[in-house]
Structures are given as structure tokens and as C-alpha cells.
Amino acid sequence: MSDQIKFIVDNLNKEPFGKNYNLITFDSLEPMQLLQVLSDVLAEIDPKQVVDIREEMPEQTAKRMLSLLGILKYKPPGNATDMSNFRQGLVIGSKPVIYPVLHWLLQRTNELKKRAYLARFLIKLEVPSEFLQDETVADTNKQYEDLMEAFKTLHKECEQLKTSGFSTAEIRRDISAMEEEKDQLIKRVERLKKRVETVQNHQRMLKIARQLRVEKEREEFLAQQKQEQKNQLFHAVQRLQRIQNQLKSMRHAAADAKPESLMKRLEEEIKFNSYMVTEKFPKELENKKKELQFLQKVVSEPAMGHSDLLELESKINEINTQISQLIEKKMMRNEPIEGKLSLYRQQASIISRKKEAKAEELQEAKEKLANLEREVSVKTNQTREFDGTEVLKGDEFKRYVSKLRSKSTVFKKKHQIIAEFKAEFGLLQRTEELLKQRHENIQHQLQTIEEKKGISGYSYTQEELERVSALKSEVDEMKGRTLDDMSEMVKRLNSLVSEKKSALAPVIKELRQLRQKCQELTQECDEKKSQYDSCAAGLESNRSKLEQEVRGLREECLQDESRYHYTNCMIKNLEVQLCRAADEMKAYVSSDQQEKRKAIREQYTKNIAEQENLGKKLREKQKAVRESHGPNMKQVKMWRDFEQLMECKKQCFLKQQSQTSIGQVIQEGGEDRLIL
């Protein structure tokens, strides 16, 4: 309790309370002052609780505090009887009741502020079902619930933003940067508009560009849809392949297996499934339910602090020690029948654990097999995507291996032939090099002979002339062919132009007629549009007038309904008062004395007589106090003087013992006299 009071005093001395208490002054507070301190703490959590309890009735104070503590989910210790004691203690300001409440509130002030803030918007107002029959009340209630749900979502988003780590400075910088980008884009758009306005048919070009953008967006959307459909098709193909593989494996197993083995396998599966359904799954479900109940219990309890955790740990340690002591006592007894039963129990528990372990291993093996089958199907799909072929199995794989062997023999033969060709190619390449060297030597000898004869370069010029003449003949042939092609192309283009003109002539005539019709229709459309706009404006004004009239009539209806309910309530109150008056008259007129005593008039007269007697007694007591006040005050003064005199004597006696005699005390006639 002392640690609790110290914690309360320390927190009350801090901001925002600033009470400046110590342990003694806080412990000496009267019940009204203690209730005011509790009201101030609740006002810090919920600003609506700022109240001076001297101006409030005790019942209202207790009701207000109990309602707020219920909203804050404070759970007083004990059962229902303790709850009644808690309410009574809260009314009278009992310290054993107020101190735990203050300790709990000051421990989690920030959390409770948030809870009180949310309670203002999330505590639902209960509307009676008979009022919900009205459509306006039902609509208003539904709107109220929708707003409550919207507030929940907005509050969650706000909390997520607070915890996400975004700072206001960064957000402001981002907003300023986006505003600058927006201004730049607006300026750029204005410049582009000015540049485009000079171009002919810019409106038509803008319209075409807008249509192009819409079509591109539609193209992207269709591409996305196509990709999604491809993914769905891929998943469907995978599923089909997986089912086909399962079907193949089942057919293969059915073909190779015998009826006895199939029955044996089915019996094993039935035993395993029955064990899982009857023993393992119910145990796991029960454990999960216990965990869920425990977690719900933990969630329903209020938030625990460090001191609460320490208390729980100490309790757990005590219970563990008690359990260990009980186990030791049981082991010390060591009864023979219990020992035999314990052996059987141990064996049964070991067997059950082994059974559970094997069942878990089997379940894990099944899951592993399913995962491996999924991986195999994925790999087969990947190989099919890469190569376009399926993965071979069984006899197909054997045939594929035999084909590979035959192809390998063919490959070896071909490889040997290629090696022979390569050797022959090497010989031919060497002979080519030798012939080139001989040709170069002959050319060199020819050049030396030409230089000796004085006609150097003759062979080279002759070769160049032959090459140029060959090129010239080729170019002349190409020119002739191109001229023929161009003349044919011109003829073809002229014929096409004439055909197109003849084909477009009736279309142009129809287009002129359609243009005239279009102009007439546009004029008619403009006239109809103006008529529609005028009619719509008139109908809109009539609709607004009718809405105002309906709104006024609804308000009058609501006022009449409220007046009707008020008059009904007043009539009921008057009927109750009339009934009470009639009962009072019956009791007053009746000759039975017991009924007369039950009458309110008799009770009030009795109370008045009792209060008058009490007033007389109090006045007599006041008169006696006034008469004895003077002598009593004199007696008090004489006792104070006597106390001072005795204190002076004590001081003188002490001084006489500690110092040399300063004066002399003489006793005469029963009096003590000090002579200095």
C-alpha cells in the first residue's frame, strides 16, 4: 500500500496536476477532498468530467464516476458483494476504494485518454424498436451507424499513419514539391495550348489525340486481361496435368495391384483416417479451444503493468513449489497398487505418444509427397514451355534411350566422315597456299620482265580495263531494266487514279447530300436542346419548391409528433398524480387507523412533529452552551496561564541545575517565590 501511495503522490505532483502533496498530507485528506482528486484525474482523461463535487449531489458524482470507469473498463477486485461495497466506498470516499482506482488511472493515463476519446464516438445509442418503425428514424439510425463505421476506418488509418514513420515535415515538403510540379505543368500546358491554337484543325487533332489515349488505355487494359487469362489458362493446364498424372498413377496402381493388396491398403487408410478423426483432431481442437479461451480471457482483462507481472510470476512460482511438494509426498507414500497402475499408465502414455508421433510423421510424409508431386508438375510444365515436349516415363523413356543409342552410333559414323573431310580440307588448303605462292612468284617475274621491256603495269591495266568493261555492261543492263519498270509503274498509277476517281464520284455526291442533312439535323438538335434546357429549368424550379414544401411539412409533422408525445407523457403523469390523490383521500377518509397511518399527510405531520421536537432539544442545548460558554472560556484561559507558569518553573529548575544559582526560591504560605 505504501508503494501505491508513493506512486500516486509522485504522479499527482507532476504536470498537469501539480498538487504538491507528500505522503502525510495525501494520507490525511478527507473523503470529499479525495473524491475531488479522483474527479480531477478523470477530468484529465475526459475533459467533460471537469466538475466541482461540492456543487454536485453525491449520487450524481458516484453515477458519473462509475459510468466513466465502466467505459474505461476498470474491473474492481472481488465478486458481486465486493462490487456493492465498491460503489458504497466510492460514494463515501473510502481510501481502500479510491487508492487502487487512482493507481490504475495514473499508470495508463495516455491509453485511457485514447479510450475515452473513442468512447465519445463509438458507444452506440440504443434506440427502442418501436421508434425504429418510423422510416426517418430508421434512416437516421442507419446513417449514424455508417458514420460510426467510417470513423473506425478513419481512426485506424490515422493510427497507421502515425506509426508508419512519416513526419509532417516530409509530407509538407512533398506537398510543396507537388504544388511546384503542378504549377510547372499548368504553365507547360498553357504554352502548348498557345502553340497548338495557331495550327489548323487543332480541335480535331486534340480530339483524335484524346481518342488515341483512350484506345491506348483500352489496349493496356485488354493486354492485362489477356495476361490474366493466360495465367488462368496456365493454372488450368497445370491442374489438368496434375489430375491426369494422378489418373495415370491410379490406373497404373490398379493395373499392377491385386484385390487383396487394394483392400489391405484401403483398410490401412481407413484406420489412419479414423484415428485422425476420432483421436488426434478432437485433441487438437480441444487444445485450440483452450488456447482461444485463454487468449480471450487475456484480451478481456485490463492491461497489466510491471508490478502485476511480478505478482503473477511470484504466484506461479508458489504454485510450482506446491506442485513439487505434492509430487514428493506422493512419491514418499509409494503404494504398491498405485505403482502397478503407474507402470501401466506409463506404458499406455508411451504407446499413445508413439502413435501420435507416427501419425504426425505419416501426415508430414503425405504433405511432403504432395509437395514433391506439385514440384514435379511445375518442372514438367517448365520443360514443356522450353522444349515443347512432355517428360517421358516408363516404357517411353526406354524407347527414347534405345533411339539415343542408335543415333549415337550414327553420330560416331558421321563424326568419322567429318574428320576425314577435315583432313582432306587441310590438304586442299595447303595446296591452295602453295599455288598462291607460285602465282605470286610468276607475277613478280612478269613485272620484272615488263620493267626490262619498258612496259611496266601493262598486265595490271589490262585486267582493270576488263573488269571496268564488265561492270559497265552490268550497269547498262540495270538502267534499261529500271527505265522499263518506271514506265510500267507510271502507267499502273495512272490507271489506278482513274479507277479511284470513277469509284469515288458517287460517294462524293452522297457525301454532299449527307452534309446538308447533317447541317439540318444540327440546327434541329440545337432547337430541341434549347427547348429541353428551358423545360428542365422550369421542372428544376418546381422540384425545389416542392422539396421546400415537403421539408416544411416534415418539420411540422415532427413538431406535432413531439408535441403529441409530450402531451401523452403529461397526461400519464397527471393520471398517476390523480391516482395518488385518490388513494390519499381514501386513506384519509377511512375509519381504519392503519390506513390513516399509511397516508402521506399523516406521515408528513408525524415527521413535522419529530423535527419540531428535535429543534426544541437543539435550541435548549444551544442555550445551555451559550450560558456555559463564558465560564468555560475563563477556565480554559486559567488552564493556559497555569500551563505557562508550570513551564516557567520547569525552565527555572533546569537553569538552577545547570548553572550557578542566579536567584533564590522561597516558599511561603504554600507559594513559591523567585528572588533574583
Side-chain angles (χ1 to χ4, degrees):
M1 181 65 78
S2 61
D3 295 335
Q4 196 177 42
I5 297 171
K6 189 177 179 182
F7 176 77
I8 293 168
V9 170
D10 292 338
N11 281 280
L12 288 174
N13 291 333
K14 294 177 184 177
E15 292 296 330
F17 303 106
K19 294 293 185 180
N20 196 12
Y21 288 140
N22 54 27
L23 294 174
I24 297 168
T25 56
F26 181 73
D27 195 47
S28 62
L29 290 175
E30 294 183 359
M32 289 292 289
Q33 295 174 343
L34 200 59
L35 284 171
Q36 186 63 51
V37 171
L38 179 59
S39 180
D40 294 339
V41 174
L42 292 173
E44 179 62 27
I45 293 170
D46 188 3
K48 289 184 178 180
Q49 304 294 322
V50 180
V51 177
D52 189 358
I53 61 171
R54 292 175 295 183
E55 300 174 356
E56 193 178 26
M57 296 295 290
E59 293 82 4
Q60 292 179 357
T61 304
K63 187 177 179 182
R64 176 173 59 83
M65 290 181 179
L66 283 170
S67 63
L68 183 58
L69 289 173
I71 290 168
L72 299 177
K73 295 183 180 179
Y74 174 72
K75 290 187 177 180
N79 50 16
T81 58
D82 295 332
M83 189 67 189
S84 62
N85 294 330
F86 172 77
R87 289 174 183 167
Q88 189 175 1
L90 191 64
V91 171
I92 63 175
S94 178
K95 292 179 181 179
V97 174
I98 302 295
Y99 285 172
V101 177
L102 284 172
H103 184 262
W104 186 77
L105 291 173
L106 294 170
Q107 267 185 336
R108 43 184 73 81
T109 307
N110 294 325
E111 179 186 350
L112 296 176
K113 281 183 181 178
K114 182 179 176 182
R115 191 174 291 173
Y117 168 73
L118 292 174
R120 290 167 55 194
F121 304 102
L122 297 181
I123 292 178
K124 190 176 180 182
L125 296 172
E126 294 295 334
V127 182
S129 59
E130 57 267 16
F131 291 127
L132 288 174
Q133 299 296 326
D134 191 0
E135 292 182 358
T136 55
V137 176
D139 294 337
T140 307
N141 189 27
K142 187 177 180 182
Q143 189 177 2
Y144 166 68
E145 291 176 354
D146 294 338
L147 289 172
M148 190 181 289
E149 294 295 328
F151 174 77
K152 286 180 183 178
T153 56
L154 289 173
H155 181 71
K156 287 179 183 177
E157 291 176 1
C158 180
E159 291 296 323
Q160 289 175 359
L161 289 173
K162 284 181 181 177
T163 56
S164 61
F166 291 112
S167 62
T168 55
E170 291 179 357
I171 293 169
R172 284 173 183 168
R173 283 198 296 271
D174 293 338
I175 290 169
S176 61
M178 285 191 284
E179 286 179 352
E180 290 177 358
E181 289 179 359
K182 182 182 176 183
D183 295 335
Q184 291 176 1
L185 288 171
I186 289 168
K187 291 178 181 177
R188 189 175 177 185
V189 168
E190 288 177 354
R191 286 199 300 270
L192 289 171
K193 280 183 178 178
K194 289 178 181 178
R195 192 181 299 171
V196 168
E197 285 175 356
T198 58
V199 180
Q200 293 181 355
N201 298 326
H202 64 279
Q203 292 291 336
R204 184 167 174 274
M205 294 173 71
L206 287 172
K207 186 177 179 181
I208 292 167
R210 195 178 297 111
Q211 290 177 357
L212 178 63
R213 179 175 56 79
V214 171
E215 291 298 327
K216 282 185 177 179
E217 290 177 355
R218 188 161 173 268
E219 184 181 1
E220 290 177 358
F221 177 71
L222 291 172
Q224 188 176 2
Q225 279 188 345
K226 184 179 179 182
Q227 188 64 33
E228 289 177 356
Q229 289 176 358
K230 280 185 178 179
N231 293 329
Q232 291 176 1
L233 180 63
F234 177 70
H235 291 305
V237 169
Q238 282 186 343
R239 188 179 175 189
L240 179 63
Q241 289 174 357
R242 189 166 57 249
I243 293 167
Q244 286 177 353
N245 292 328
Q246 289 178 0
L247 182 62
K248 285 181 181 178
S249 62
M250 290 175 72
R251 284 177 179 174
H252 184 69
D256 296 337
K258 294 179 180 179
E260 291 82 5
S261 60
L262 286 172
M263 289 295 293
K264 191 175 181 181
R265 193 184 306 162
L266 288 172
E267 286 176 358
E268 289 176 355
E269 287 182 359
I270 289 166
K271 286 179 181 178
F272 174 73
N273 292 327
S274 61
Y275 167 73
M276 295 291 286
V277 171
T278 57
E279 294 185 13
K280 189 177 179 184
F281 287 159
K283 288 181 181 178
E284 291 181 355
L285 184 62
E286 190 67 27
N287 293 326
K288 294 293 182 184
K289 284 182 178 178
K290 288 180 181 178
E291 289 180 2
L292 180 62
Q293 290 176 359
F294 178 72
L295 291 172
Q296 287 178 351
K297 187 177 179 183
V298 170
V299 169
S300 63
E301 290 181 356
M304 300 175 72
H306 186 65
S307 60
D308 298 330
L309 291 173
L310 291 174
E311 289 178 1
L312 284 174
E313 286 180 357
S314 62
K315 287 181 181 178
I316 289 165
N317 292 326
E318 289 176 0
I319 291 166
N320 287 329
T321 52
Q322 291 176 4
I323 289 167
S324 61
Q325 289 174 2
L326 291 170
I327 290 167
E328 288 176 0
K329 287 180 182 178
K330 189 176 180 181
M331 294 294 289
M332 290 295 290
R333 290 176 185 172
N334 197 9
E335 295 179 0
I337 297 170
E338 290 288 332
K340 290 179 181 179
L341 290 174
S342 64
L343 287 173
Y344 290 124
R345 285 172 185 164
Q346 288 178 359
Q347 290 177 359
S349 64
I350 290 165
I351 291 166
S352 64
R353 282 198 294 272
K354 285 183 179 179
K355 194 174 180 181
E356 289 177 357
K358 293 297 180 184
E360 289 177 356
E361 288 178 1
L362 182 59
Q363 191 70 21
E364 290 176 358
K366 284 187 175 181
E367 291 177 357
K368 192 174 181 181
L369 179 62
N371 292 326
L372 290 172
E373 287 178 353
R374 283 196 294 272
E375 289 181 1
V376 167
S377 64
V378 170
K379 296 294 183 184
T380 52
N381 293 326
Q382 289 178 357
T383 53
R384 190 178 293 106
E385 287 180 359
F386 291 143
D387 300 334
T389 57
E390 293 185 356
V391 178
L392 302 176
K393 293 180 182 179
D395 297 332
E396 293 179 356
F397 184 73
K398 290 179 182 178
R399 287 195 294 272
Y400 180 70
V401 170
S402 62
K403 283 182 182 179
L404 283 178
R405 285 174 183 170
S406 61
K407 286 182 180 179
S408 65
T409 55
V410 175
F411 171 75
K412 288 177 182 178
K413 290 178 182 178
K414 299 292 183 183
H415 188 69
Q416 188 176 0
I417 293 167
I418 289 168
E420 292 175 356
F421 281 132
K422 283 183 179 178
E424 190 174 355
F425 175 73
L427 292 171
L428 292 171
Q429 194 173 8
R430 180 61 180 165
T431 53
E432 185 183 4
E433 288 176 357
L434 293 172
L435 290 170
K436 283 182 179 179
Q437 287 177 1
R438 289 175 67 183
H439 178 69
E440 289 176 356
N441 293 327
I442 291 167
Q443 287 290 332
H444 185 67
Q445 291 175 4
L446 183 61
Q447 287 177 2
T448 54
I449 291 166
E450 286 177 353
E451 287 176 357
K452 286 179 181 179
K453 298 291 183 179
I455 52 173
S456 61
Y458 174 75
S459 61
Y460 178 73
T461 52
Q462 190 175 1
E463 289 177 358
E464 285 292 324
L465 287 170
E466 289 175 357
R467 188 172 64 80
V468 168
S469 62
L471 288 171
K472 185 176 179 297
S473 61
E474 289 177 359
V475 169
D476 291 336
E477 288 177 359
M478 288 175 67
K479 282 181 180 180
R481 285 198 299 272
T482 52
L483 288 171
D484 294 335
D485 293 334
M486 287 174 70
S487 61
E488 288 178 359
M489 189 180 291
V490 168
K491 289 179 182 178
R492 199 182 304 117
L493 288 172
N494 289 326
S495 62
L496 284 171
V497 167
S498 61
E499 288 175 359
K500 293 292 181 183
K501 281 182 180 179
S502 60
L504 288 172
V507 176
I508 291 167
K509 289 180 181 178
E510 291 179 359
L511 182 62
R512 288 172 183 170
Q513 294 175 0
L514 290 172
R515 280 179 181 173
Q516 290 177 358
K517 286 183 181 180
C518 179
Q519 289 177 359
E520 293 174 357
L521 290 171
T522 50
Q523 290 177 359
E524 188 177 356
C525 179
D526 293 334
E527 291 175 358
K528 297 291 184 182
K529 190 175 181 182
S530 61
Q531 292 176 3
Y532 170 76
D533 291 335
S534 61
C535 183
L539 291 172
E540 186 69 23
S541 62
N542 292 328
R543 188 176 66 84
S544 61
K545 289 178 182 178
L546 290 172
E547 284 180 353
Q548 289 178 358
E549 290 178 0
V550 168
R551 199 178 295 113
L553 292 171
R554 281 185 178 176
E555 289 176 356
E556 289 178 1
C557 181
L558 291 172
Q559 290 176 1
D560 292 336
E561 284 182 359
S562 62
R563 199 178 298 113
Y564 168 72
H565 292 302
Y566 177 72
T567 52
N568 279 335
C569 293
M570 292 298 292
I571 289 165
K572 287 181 182 178
N573 289 329
L574 290 171
E575 287 176 355
V576 171
Q577 290 178 3
L578 286 170
C579 291
R580 289 178 64 185
D583 294 336
E584 184 68 21
M585 286 297 295
K586 285 180 183 178
Y588 183 71
V589 172
S590 66
S591 59
D592 193 0
Q593 294 295 327
Q594 291 182 355
E595 290 184 0
K596 279 188 176 182
R597 287 174 187 172
K598 291 180 183 178
I600 297 170
R601 182 174 180 180
E602 293 293 330
Q603 292 177 4
Y604 277 130
T605 54
K606 186 179 178 181
N607 290 331
I608 289 165
E610 289 177 356
Q611 294 296 325
E612 285 178 354
N613 293 327
L614 183 62
K616 286 179 182 179
K617 290 178 182 179
L618 291 173
R619 282 195 291 273
E620 290 174 358
K621 193 174 181 180
Q622 185 181 10
K623 186 177 179 182
V625 169
R626 283 179 181 174
E627 289 175 355
S628 62
H629 180 67
N632 289 335
M633 291 301 291
K634 286 180 182 180
Q635 192 174 1
V636 169
K637 187 177 181 184
M638 289 171 68
W639 275 107
R640 285 178 182 168
D641 294 338
F642 177 71
E643 187 179 0
Q644 289 178 2
L645 182 61
M646 295 302 291
E647 186 68 28
C648 183
K649 282 185 178 184
K650 181 182 176 183
Q651 295 295 330
C652 292
F653 180 71
L654 292 172
K655 285 181 182 180
Q656 187 178 6
Q657 284 184 353
S658 61
Q659 300 176 359
T660 56
S661 60
I662 299 170
Q664 189 176 2
V665 179
I666 300 170
Q667 293 182 354
E668 291 180 356
E671 295 179 354
D672 294 335
R673 188 180 298 167
L674 177 64
I675 300 172
L676 300 173

